[in-house]
Amino acid sequence: MNMQSSEQDKAPARSGAVVVSVDAMGGDQGPAAVVGGIALAAKRHPGVRFLVNGREADLAPLIRSAGLSACCEIRHAEDVVTMHDKPGQVMRTGKATSMWSTVDAVRDGAAQIAVSCGNTGALMAISMLRLRKAPGVNRPAIASLWPSRNPTGWNVMLDMGADVKADEDDLLTYALMGTSYARNALGLACPRVGLLNVGTEEHKGRSELKAAYDLIRANEEAGTFEFVGFVEGNDLPSARVDVIVTDGFTGNIALKTGEGTAKLAGELLKEALTASPLAKFGALLAMGPLKRLKERIDPRRANGGVFLGLNGMVVKSHGGADATGVAAALDLAVKLAESGFGARLMARVASAQHPVQDAVTESDSASEA
């Protein structure tokens, strides 16, 4: 149901409410999962509006059935970017796709942030084409939350696969963008930054890593973060660091390795707990702790990689996300939009030359009040 004709439904947008542009067609589970995620997110964020991009004939019944007509506006887009489409092909022929429409809503100012479960390469290509790189950014990055022993429960890691290459200047930019993301997504006043390497000794690693080490160290005070130096793979889930900086090649391999290891551990645990009647009885006794463990490591809670370094905000949801996973990505999008993260991020990149503040402090809030 297209709500463009309803003045009442447009009122939240006029009053400055957050508007999230959503690609409803790109995920593996189809538009039903996306609309289900919107329904969950809408309950948690009643003032937020959603621009739902995709085939109107498919979306209108789902939105109407979910009771979302008051907060959703459908933007019809006939074509769909599949997981098999090549980014170059989509850039040439993808103007009629739901993904293109989703990003264009941010470009045109109709929404503050975009969310898609679709093809990562195509989404990055369209985002770079339509939004362009922010000043001072050579290579955009994808930042994701990694489960950790920190009080927040998460570490920030980037780049997770936007670009396989990164020189020392790119790694410095990633550090600056990562600290801004950690501030706004995790509420950390002074994030600890680590540079991923094959060892913690300063003499180890490739030449660009050693150069990046010096650059990040030199910008520690201006960037208002603590540089802990080189970190190793076993530090990814540790409490030693808050932001882990690496190139997209290494980051993507680490991400897929972590996902595969977690899946294997879950399968082996399930086999062990069902191997015999006694094991099943023990599992029954441990049901409470096991449920809490499952919730703690549930990857759907951290669903949503953020594209950093563009003139606009884009969140990439996992392609196989169900309604719970989509809702988590939408929650993250709303949080970033409400915090004004996009403007703070560009200021953070500029801080390589001039110290700036990228998060509202208590004194700021008091003076504004």
Side-chain angles (χ1 to χ4, degrees), residues 45-362:
H45 311 284
V48 173
R49 286 174 50 82
F50 301 90
L51 297 182
V52 189
N53 301 266
R55 293 170 182 157
E56 187 170 10
D58 295 335
L59 295 174
L62 294 171
I63 290 174
R64 190 164 52 244
S65 174
L68 297 172
S69 298
C71 65
C72 290
E73 174 185 323
I74 297 174
R75 291 201 164 191
H76 177 71
E78 185 62 30
D79 295 341
V80 177
V81 176
T82 73
M83 294 297 181
H84 305 291
D85 289 336
K86 295 181 179 179
Q89 174 189 351
V90 175
M91 290 175 69
R92 293 190 300 271
T93 64
K95 291 184 178 180
T97 64
S98 59
M99 184 181 288
W100 193 292
S101 176
T102 299
V103 175
D104 261 6
V106 175
R107 179 179 184 269
D108 299 338
Q112 287 96 326
I113 192 164
V115 177
S116 175
C117 301
N119 182 317
T120 302
L123 182 61
M124 177 58 80
I126 291 175
S127 298
M128 289 184 63
L129 178 66
R130 304 303 293 161
L131 301 177
R132 301 295 182 181
K133 292 182 289 186
V137 176
N138 180 40
R139 290 186 173 95
I142 301 174
S144 293
L145 296 177
W146 193 286
S148 79
R149 300 294 296 176
N150 277 317
T152 63
W154 308 104
N155 288 337
V156 174
M157 187 169 175
L158 72 166
D159 173 29
M160 304 302 275
D163 198 314
V164 297
K165 297 179 181 179
D167 61 21
E168 57 268 27
D169 293 319
D170 297 321
L171 294 171
L172 169 61
T173 301
Y174 294 171
L176 297 172
M177 294 194 298
T179 59
S180 185
Y181 183 43
R183 278 188 170 87
N184 288 276
L186 300 178
L188 300 175
C190 185
R192 296 163 300 166
V193 177
L195 186 60
L196 190 61
N197 198 359
V198 294
T200 59
E201 299 87 349
E202 292 185 26
H203 66 274
K204 287 191 174 182
R206 301 189 303 268
S207 59
E208 63 267 25
L209 286 176
K210 296 176 184 177
Y213 184 104
D214 294 333
L215 282 175
I216 296 173
R217 175 70 74 195
N219 281 271
E220 184 177 13
E221 182 176 354
T224 323
F225 60 83
E226 178 188 348
F227 183 48
V228 301
F230 288 132
V231 295
E232 299 179 274
N234 55 11
D235 288 314
L236 302 188
S238 77
R240 183 187 170 212
V241 65
D242 302 303
V243 178
I244 300 145
V245 175
T246 188
D247 61 86
F249 182 87
T250 306
N252 192 261
I253 289 177
L255 174 65
K256 300 297 173 59
T257 301
E259 290 177 342
T261 302
K263 183 178 179 181
L264 175 62
E267 292 172 349
L268 293 176
L269 180 61
K270 184 177 180 180
E271 290 177 6
L273 293 175
T274 58
S276 67
L278 186 60
K280 292 178 181 179
F281 180 70
L284 183 63
L285 294 177
M287 186 64 68
L290 288 172
K291 184 177 180 181
R292 289 192 292 272
L293 174 62
K294 181 179 179 181
E295 291 173 351
R296 178 74 185 272
I297 64 175
D298 188 349
R300 298 178 300 176
R301 294 174 58 238
N303 183 42
V306 183
F307 290 1
L308 303 180
L310 302 171
N311 290 307
M313 295 187 289
V314 179
V315 173
K316 169 63 176 71
S317 170
H318 197 288
D322 59 8
T324 300
V326 172
L330 293 172
D331 288 341
L332 175 60
V334 171
K335 184 173 185 177
L336 294 178
E338 288 179 338
S339 72
F341 172 63
R344 299 184 193 282
L345 176 63
M346 285 189 275
R348 172 56 52 186
V349 174
S351 74
Q353 297 298 326
H354 304 285
V356 297
Q357 179 176 301
D358 69 345
V360 178
T361 64
E362 292 183 7

